Amino acid sequence: KAGVTQTPRYLIKTRGQQVTLSCSPISGHRSVSWYQQTPGQGLQFLFEYFSETQRNKGNFPGRFSGRQFSNSRSEMNVSTLELGDSALYLCASSVREMNTEAFFGQGTRLTVV
Amino acid sequence: GQNIDQPTEMTATEGAIVQINCTYQTSGFNGLFWYQQHAGEAPTFLSYNVLDGLEEKGRFSSFLSRSKGYSYLLLKELQMKDSASYLCAVGDYKLSFGAGTTVTVRA
């Protein structure tokens, strides 16, 4: 059974650019959540999608957005990148809402220069 | 709001037992999770407790007391590969993570 797949694994962008990250959940999982991990702040919740609907959102600015497709794959977008957006972005999938037994992908390491 | 506390670091000897405590005060609760994260890698799911008591999975066990807002992860027969960060997380509509406990296993 394939795990959660995130692409790309590594990304370097310059300030002001925008970026799109992709997450394919485990087959049969309908909930996808996104997290940002930095050394200073740890793991912070960005948003959760279930059945193509954003169900919950964390305390991040509007530059961070996402969507989920009918096959449960999800993308997140960050516009007008700032140096502070450099982080490991993790996607987690679970069968149902509310993050029961959530499984993480390998993450996308974003570096903003 | 969420407040999740766990020790920053622990060191133990190969073959020994280590217990990582986690206390939490959260506005919502639908389960307590433990994840293992090796440096530079994604968190790996270890355990999920939703009811009080002990859950055992091989060398790893996790305990939960909802009335006390307390959980622990017990690692037995420590191996060098167990050196990692262990994250306690409380689930409601999202996972709220503690800062993680870095466990170093020494020969």
Side-chain angles (χ1 to χ4, degrees), chain A residues 9 35 37 43 45 48 56-57 88 90 97-107 109, chain B residues 30 33 35 37 40-45 48 57 87 91-99:
Chain A
R9 289 291 309 278
Y35 293 82
Q37 186 174 34
L43 273 152
F45 171 76
E48 181 199 11
N56 296 288
K57 192 175 190 305
L88 179 66
L90 292 160
E97 296 170 274
M98 306 289 277
N99 288 288
T100 52
E101 298 192 67
F103 298 88
F104 285 86
Q106 290 298 303
R109 174 75 61 185
Chain B
N30 77 336
F33 299 76
Y35 286 87
Q37 187 175 27
E41 298 183 10
T44 303
F45 173 83
Y48 169 57
K57 283 186 181 180
L87 302 165
D92 48 39
Y93 68 88
K94 63 183 169 98
L95 289 174
S96 296
F97 285 87

Side-chain angles (χ1 to χ4, degrees), chain B residues 10 18 23 28 30 37 44-45 59 74 86 103:
Chain B
M10 301 183 76
V18 70
T23 58
N30 77 336
Q37 187 175 27
T44 303
F45 173 83
R59 295 190 298 113
L74 194 68
Y86 291 84
V103 172

Side-chain angles (χ1 to χ4, degrees), chain B residues 16-35:
Chain B
I17 298 172
V18 70
Q19 178 174 315
I20 306 170
N21 296 322
C22 172
T23 58
Y24 63 90
Q25 291 177 309
T26 58
S27 55
F29 182 89
N30 77 336
L32 191 292
F33 299 76
W34 285 96
Y35 286 87

